[in-house]
Amino acid sequence: MTEEQAGATPEVEVLYAAEAIAARLEELAKDITARNLERPLIVAVLKGSFVFAADLIRALYRSGLEPEVDFLTLSSYRKSRTSSGNVEILRDLDLDVEGRNVILVDDVLDSGRTLVFAKDLLSARGASQILTCVLIDKKVSRAVDVAADFRAFEGSNEFVVGYGMDVAHRYRELPFVGRMTKE
Ligand code: IMP
Ligand code: MG
């Protein structure tokens, strides 16, 4: 399939093709499964991680893990490309995380504020272990101190879209991760 057919647009250049993401997720799933977590609970941070989380849980199935799954909708980016600095809960979890081994799944680790907020929330609710897993770990200086336990790819400071990630609500449907070619 050509990039046009795969959904590329003149504004978005492919960084990680669908096939490369799929191959990387199989490895990532094996690494996560190797931790032998008891009663693992995936907490996907929405909206950006929904495609990643959906593919990741099926890769985890193939590597033999049977996680429960829940969703936490957080907001920090809104319509702009730069972080506003404060994170809010837009929709909370349904499940009780007390005593659970949680794998927090997010799309991008950038300033770190979103992951720290989510980690603090789960830890205050009594999660016994919180591991973090991100699609893109941006190699930038964090506003807060946090590291990803698992990452699919290391990214630079540039803004990425596609594979669930948006800019102003656009491009989530792209099957690849791309970078904006124009500002
Ligand atoms: P942080 O709180 O600054 O670490 O930013 C993390 C959140 O900002 C992620 O959950 C993403 O939703 C969003 N974000 C950061 N960088 C990007 C990007 O390049 N593309 C799309 N969303 C991003
Ligand atoms: Mg996000």
Side-chain angles (χ1 to χ4, degrees):
M1 210 180 345
T2 66
E3 278 173 16
E4 278 80 358
Q5 286 164 329
T9 73
E11 311 97 78
V12 184
E13 181 187 330
V14 177
L15 264 182
Y16 299 106
E19 298 74 18
I21 299 170
R24 181 69 191 109
L25 261 57
E26 295 303 313
E27 298 173 346
L28 196 58
K30 287 188 184 119
D31 292 345
I32 294 171
T33 303
R35 299 291 275 264
N36 287 313
L37 299 171
E38 204 183 311
R39 292 183 67 227
L41 171 64
I42 297 274
V43 169
V45 179
L46 298 181
K47 297 175 190 171
S49 77
F50 79 112
V51 175
F52 175 42
D55 282 347
L56 182 65
I57 60 170
R58 288 175 289 180
L60 288 170
Y61 163 79
R62 288 188 286 276
S63 67
L65 199 74
E66 296 180 354
E68 290 177 24
V69 183
D70 202 356
F71 305 95
L72 178 65
T73 309
L74 298 180
S75 154
S76 60
Y77 259 69
R78 306 293 184 148
K79 283 183 193 157
S80 73
R81 292 189 203 180
T82 42
S83 169
S84 62
N86 55 333
V87 182
E88 282 176 77
I89 301 179
L90 297 184
R91 190 182 186 283
D92 210 333
L93 296 164
D94 289 331
L95 299 180
D96 185 2
V97 298
E98 193 176 346
R100 299 300 302 265
N101 294 305
V102 178
I103 303 158
L104 253 179
V105 174
D106 203 0
D107 51 359
V108 181
L109 173 55
D110 185 11
S111 76
R113 288 189 187 100
T114 306
L115 266 195
V116 162
F117 179 91
K119 276 182 94 169
D120 288 351
L121 183 75
L122 299 176
S123 127
R125 291 177 182 177
S128 45
Q129 189 178 185
I130 306 161
L131 295 170
T132 54
C133 175
V134 299
L135 178 69
I136 311 269
D137 185 356
K138 286 195 181 176
K139 221 180 160 182
V140 293
S141 57
R142 311 263 185 248
V144 288
D145 185 29
V146 63
D149 296 294
F150 304 98
R151 63 155 173 258
F153 302 106
E154 192 170 78
S156 65
N157 199 13
E158 63 195 352
F159 201 84
V160 292
V161 296
Y163 198 66
M165 299 178 286
D166 74 311
V167 60
H169 310 292
R170 295 187 63 201
Y171 307 117
R172 292 193 199 275
E173 74 285 6
L174 298 179
F176 53 85
V177 175
R179 77 156 76 88
M180 305 301 299
T181 54
K182 302 185 196 106
E183 277 314 299

